[in-house]
Amino acid sequence: MESVHADSVSSALSRRATMALMLAMALAAIAGLMANGPMGLVPHRHYFADEGLWLGVPNGRLVLSHLPLVPMGVWGIWRVSCLPSNEPLRWIWGWFFLCQMLATFGGMIYHLEPGDAAFIWDQVPKSAACSLFAFAFLAERVDRRCGGVPAITIALTAPLLGGGWWIYSLHQDGVGDLRPLLWLEMLPVLLVATGAWTLSGHLLSRQDWLRSQVSFVVAQTVDWTDASVYQLSHHLIGGHSARHLALAACVGWVAYRLGRNAHLSALGTASMTPAQDAVIEPPSNWGRLTSS
């Protein structure tokens, strides 16, 4: 009995420490962005290594490399629709895949003719998808209310405000400030990296979250090395185009795992699904236990 009591207390303390670390990482990112000052588009932002006519399409590699994201998004929406009707996280995951689809089409529009005017159509839905992904993680690992209507509203409103701030600062100061949108993009990586391994899950396992973020980090890495990837691939594909393929892998993996869990639930074997992490959850009355 004492061993169970000690394990419960230890698990609760570990959970609180993890949540404190997640909050600290998010606040540290805000502090770092604030200390850096306004962050605008770099001069070469609209130039890519593999731009130019390809298969008869302007900037064809950059535009058409978005195409794998389309079936992945449709598949994700279908997978979410297969979740049980009483699943509280259906809506936030549905909104995530919808925003991912909007970001895909926005990215295709942007790459047809890159420029400041088209940039916002790519960036805002992308930041919205990231903020929804972060809230979905919190809903699975911390509190189901993070997947409710108020949380979804916040996750959708924040990137709209960030986009509005970018437009305002662009016209006011001549430099569009991207810091709010960049923070939203950073948030999933910060939360998953600090919380996925110790906080127990619901629909996705810790490995699922970490694999999705590895794909995201790979996508960002090849994007930063755009010209180098283009040279190494013998001018077949640039890093930015390869980024779209890595993002498709990330979205596809999440869609697959969500659907697999729904299938197992329908078979009545949800208790055996790998999405259930082997982490002891503190009992609801642990506070009373520790005070007795």
Side-chain angles (χ1 to χ4, degrees):
M1 191 68 177
E2 291 181 358
S3 176
V4 173
H5 169 75
D7 288 342
S8 299
V9 173
S10 175
S11 178
L13 291 175
S14 175
R15 180 182 178 85
R16 289 189 172 186
T18 300
M19 290 190 292
L21 179 59
M22 291 163 60
L23 178 61
M25 292 289 284
L27 293 177
I30 293 176
L33 290 171
M34 293 295 292
N36 185 83
M39 299 178 66
L41 292 172
V42 294
H44 59 276
R45 176 62 180 84
H46 303 311
Y47 298 94
F48 303 95
D50 55 352
E51 60 187 7
L53 192 69
W54 190 66
L55 296 181
V57 180
N59 297 325
R61 292 182 180 86
L62 295 161
V63 173
L64 298 178
S65 60
H66 283 83
L67 290 180
L69 283 160
V70 177
M72 292 298 101
V74 173
W75 190 36
I77 292 174
W78 178 73
R79 287 291 216 177
V80 169
S81 71
C82 295
L83 292 173
S85 58
N86 61 345
E87 171 54 55
L89 303 185
R90 288 183 73 192
W91 283 103
I92 193 164
W93 279 118
W95 275 104
F96 163 74
F97 286 111
L98 178 59
C99 285
Q100 175 264 315
M101 292 284 287
L102 292 175
T104 298
F105 293 121
M108 294 175 78
I109 293 172
Y110 164 70
H111 283 296
L112 279 172
E113 191 174 351
D116 288 354
F119 171 77
I120 202 70
W121 295 102
D122 178 34
Q123 188 65 37
V124 169
K126 183 167 62 177
S127 296
C130 288
S131 63
L132 286 163
F133 196 85
F135 270 93
F137 176 78
L138 293 174
E140 287 214 357
R141 300 271 158 169
V142 178
D143 193 322
R144 297 289 175 82
R145 289 174 294 183
C146 292
V149 174
I152 294 174
T153 303
I154 293 172
L156 293 173
T157 303
L160 291 175
L161 294 175
W165 171 251
W166 180 79
I167 294 174
Y168 170 79
S169 58
L170 179 64
H171 291 283
Q172 187 74 13
D173 306 321
V175 178
D177 189 3
L178 289 170
R179 286 179 296 175
L181 296 175
L182 290 175
W183 183 76
L184 291 175
E185 284 195 47
M186 294 167 57
L187 195 56
V189 177
L190 297 175
L191 296 182
V192 173
T194 53
W197 198 254
T198 54
L199 298 177
S200 59
H202 172 50
L203 290 176
L204 299 178
S205 71
R206 57 174 65 96
Q207 290 86 357
D208 295 331
W209 287 105
L210 293 174
R211 284 170 184 163
S212 70
Q213 290 307 287
V214 166
S215 296
F216 183 79
V217 171
V218 169
Q220 295 301 100
T221 301
V222 295
D223 186 24
W224 293 332
T225 57
D226 183 26
S228 298
V229 172
Y230 190 54
Q231 293 294 330
L232 290 172
S233 67
H234 300 286
H235 298 180
L236 177 64
I237 189 172
H240 192 78
S241 298
R243 173 182 182 272
H244 302 149
L245 304 180
L247 290 177
C250 173
V251 173
W253 179 258
V254 173
Y256 164 69
R257 293 298 292 174
L258 285 173
R260 185 174 186 275
N261 187 67
H263 176 67
L264 291 175
S265 297
L267 293 176
T269 58
S271 61
M272 299 171 61
T273 176
Q276 305 250 342
D277 295 324
V279 177
I280 300 175
E281 285 281 8
S284 58
N285 63 338
W286 81 273
R288 295 195 296 272
L289 290 171
T290 55
S291 60
S292 59

